[in-house]
Amino acid sequence: MAQLQARFFTEDTRYTVDDVPFSVPAASETTDLSNIINKLLEAKSESHKYVEFDFLIKGQFLRTALVKHMETENIPTEEVVEIEYVEKYMAPQPEQCMFHDDWISSIAATEEWILTGSYDQTSRIWTVEGKPITTLAGHVDVVKDVAWVKKGGLSCLLLSASLDQTVLLWEWNVEKNTVKVLHRCRGHAGSVESLAVDGSRTKFCSGSWDTMLKIWSAVPTDEEDEMETEEVADRPRKKQKTEHLGLTRTPLTTLSGHTGAVSSLLWSDTDEICSASWDHTIRVWDVETGSLKSTLTGSKVFNSISYSPLCRRLASGSTDRHIRLWDPRTKDGSLVLLSLTSHTGWVTSVKWSPIHEQQLISGSLDNLVKIWDTRSCKAPLYDLAAHEDKVLCVEWTEAGLLLSGGADNKLYSYRCRANTSDIGA
């Protein structure tokens, strides 16, 4: 059998082996190499317990036979090949299934609670164990996005955005488990599709079907903002049902420039917002001046964006089924760093892991949730096939809880085992 010379290395000091070349069969796959590393570790320590490893050559995961991978990547087989190994990321297991009365459009989770928005016109708060705590009913149409403003203490502030063209700022009294609307934020002329809260938790941004971004104060007050009279007169009657809900709040600033619906938003820095749109662009805005800093241009509608402060990359999900990675600070707005392709329907939602700089989760109209590692761009790490209908939203918490909501009215939670060995690998 053909042999190759390989040198193995790892950044995980628990699993280091001798820094010398070994002869390994050319047809070796991940399991075979894992067995080799475990045998070497057993020889060093009798107490070693078997560990499954993944292997990388020049930053790419090995997913085929060793010799085939090397041929595909044009790596010479006559030289000693450097192979990095990391503890294998285990498949997350579904833990809980929670229900709304209609499609679940959005999820925002903390270490303690899960906030969801639904087409049933309500938002709900759940424990991370899946128990319902309370329902927030204040909109007269579909809830499109939700966000936490302030968490902890005896009360929390949170936001819900709706097809009814408003954003509601809620106060949840955790101790008494009561909710009330503090402010009704009005100013958009279309469905409010997306919300993002700034790092200081004092401002938030909303993106709408009306192509506008609006920035609002997130600080509760006892004051009501004046609306322009003709705007009030022109509003459809059904919207006036919510007149008693909270004090009217108007935006601090409006950012205009998109020519299509604003589908997704995030604060990428203290005074910087990224917005994704159906106009095939992602725009980076300077909040202080209200000016456009840069534009990333795609060829199809953008549904979702997520920014990772760990790797400083922006991930986008589009209607052409691809996930793309961008550098938001690039001078070349058409430069895609990496494409992740496996979904067979629109990618509706993407979210970076807050703890692994190479990992992200995606949801799609193909009913699947996929977990990716950017070092394996040709195939996802895992497909999670719990949903029976379109996946509309995904979330990943710092505590390692993955969440997905869909058109089957179900919210699934999945627990992934904490694995620190490949952080920064």
Side-chain angles (χ1 to χ4, degrees), residues 302-371:
F302 287 110
N303 293 318
S304 176
I305 51 173
S306 177
Y307 179 71
S308 170
L310 300 177
C311 67
R312 298 184 180 181
R313 295 286 178 264
L314 194 70
S316 67
S318 290
T319 56
D320 64 0
R321 311 185 305 279
H322 299 294
I323 297 158
R324 292 180 176 86
L325 304 190
W326 312 75
D327 177 357
R329 282 155 188 65
T330 182
K331 295 285 181 282
D332 179 359
S334 59
L335 181 67
V336 177
L337 302 175
L338 201 63
S339 291
L340 309 174
T341 306
S342 173
H343 281 297
T344 56
W346 287 19
V347 179
T348 52
S349 187
V350 291
K351 191 71 191 274
W352 281 101
S353 164
I355 42 180
H356 301 280
E357 67 177 273
Q358 292 99 351
Q359 290 175 6
L360 64 152
I361 184 175
S362 62
S364 165
L365 298 188
D366 63 12
N367 304 2
L368 291 174
V369 173
K370 291 178 186 275
I371 297 175

Side-chain angles (χ1 to χ4, degrees), residues 42-339:
E42 277 168 25
K44 284 175 72 177
S45 167
E46 285 182 13
S47 61
H48 171 75
K49 288 189 171 60
Y50 191 90
V51 178
E52 275 194 75
F53 292 105
D54 246 329
F55 296 85
L56 299 108
I57 301 171
K58 292 193 171 175
Q60 285 295 309
F61 274 114
L62 180 66
R63 290 290 177 256
T64 56
L66 185 55
V67 68
K68 191 176 174 187
H69 176 94
M70 291 173 70
E71 284 166 1
T72 307
E73 298 295 324
N74 295 316
I75 299 166
T77 52
E78 61 276 6
E79 295 173 14
V80 176
V81 60
E82 302 280 337
I83 304 178
E84 182 181 3
Y85 56 102
V86 294
E87 193 175 346
K88 189 179 175 69
Y89 181 82
M90 306 311 284
Q93 299 304 313
E95 277 204 340
Q96 305 294 337
C97 179
M98 295 148 266
F99 292 89
H100 263 275
D101 297 331
D102 208 331
W103 295 9
I104 296 171
S105 63
S106 46
I107 311 167
T110 72
E111 291 195 8
E112 288 182 85
W113 303 302
I114 302 162
L115 175 62
T116 52
S118 170
Y119 278 58
D120 65 14
Q121 303 184 9
T122 72
S123 305
R124 290 187 189 175
I125 301 171
W126 318 74
T127 67
V128 288
E129 292 77 36
K131 293 185 176 64
I133 301 174
T134 193
T135 299
L136 292 72
H139 288 288
V140 294
D141 214 326
V142 167
V143 175
K144 294 307 295 281
D145 203 7
V146 290
W148 294 92
V149 178
K150 185 173 78 73
K151 309 176 286 283
L154 298 178
S155 71
C156 295
L157 295 177
L158 34 114
L159 296 164
S160 58
S162 170
L163 194 64
D164 68 14
Q165 304 181 10
T166 69
V167 178
L168 297 180
L169 175 61
W170 301 80
E171 181 180 47
W172 172 39
N173 184 312
V174 180
E175 198 177 30
K176 295 177 183 169
N177 195 22
T178 56
V179 289
K180 68 174 178 181
V181 177
L182 300 179
H183 291 280
R184 188 177 70 262
C185 305
R186 284 179 35 218
H188 280 296
S191 172
V192 187
E193 296 289 304
S194 184
L195 294 167
V197 181
D198 83 327
S200 71
R201 323 309 284 175
T202 59
K203 295 195 291 281
F204 72 91
C205 185
S206 59
S208 166
W209 200 256
D210 66 10
T211 75
M212 302 294 174
L213 284 77
K214 291 183 187 287
I215 296 168
W216 317 71
S217 167
V219 181
T221 64
D222 296 329
E223 294 167 23
E224 181 147 34
D225 295 343
E226 287 293 316
M227 290 294 292
E228 291 176 24
T229 48
E230 71 251 34
E231 198 176 329
V232 175
D234 289 346
R235 276 188 303 130
R237 282 185 180 277
K238 72 167 188 175
K239 304 258 172 5
Q240 295 177 9
K241 280 186 196 169
T242 61
E243 207 73 338
H244 65 285
L245 276 177
L247 299 168
T248 297
R249 176 161 284 184
T250 55
L252 302 171
T253 334
T254 297
L255 305 177
S256 60
H258 280 296
T259 57
V262 179
S263 53
S264 188
L265 286 173
L266 53 87
W267 292 76
S268 44
D269 213 332
T270 313
D271 286 313
E272 187 178 275
I273 290 171
C274 292
S275 59
S277 170
W278 280 43
D279 65 10
H280 304 182
T281 69
I282 297 167
R283 297 180 186 232
V284 184
W285 306 84
D286 184 314
V287 178
E288 263 319 287
T289 62
S291 59
L292 190 63
K293 291 172 92 168
S294 61
T295 302
L296 307 175
T297 308
S299 57
K300 287 285 187 285
V301 162
F302 287 110
N303 293 318
S304 176
I305 51 173
S306 177
Y307 179 71
S308 170
L310 300 177
C311 67
R312 298 184 180 181
R313 295 286 178 264
L314 194 70
S316 67
S318 290
T319 56
D320 64 0
R321 311 185 305 279
H322 299 294
I323 297 158
R324 292 180 176 86
L325 304 190
W326 312 75
D327 177 357
R329 282 155 188 65
T330 182
K331 295 285 181 282
D332 179 359
S334 59
L335 181 67
V336 177
L337 302 175
L338 201 63
S339 291

Side-chain angles (χ1 to χ4, degrees), residues 6-28:
R7 183 184 280 109
F8 296 99
F9 69 97
T10 184
E11 291 189 7
D12 192 330
T13 52
R14 294 172 298 169
Y15 303 128
T16 50
V17 297
D18 292 341
D19 184 18
V20 294
F22 294 94
S23 276
V24 295
S28 295

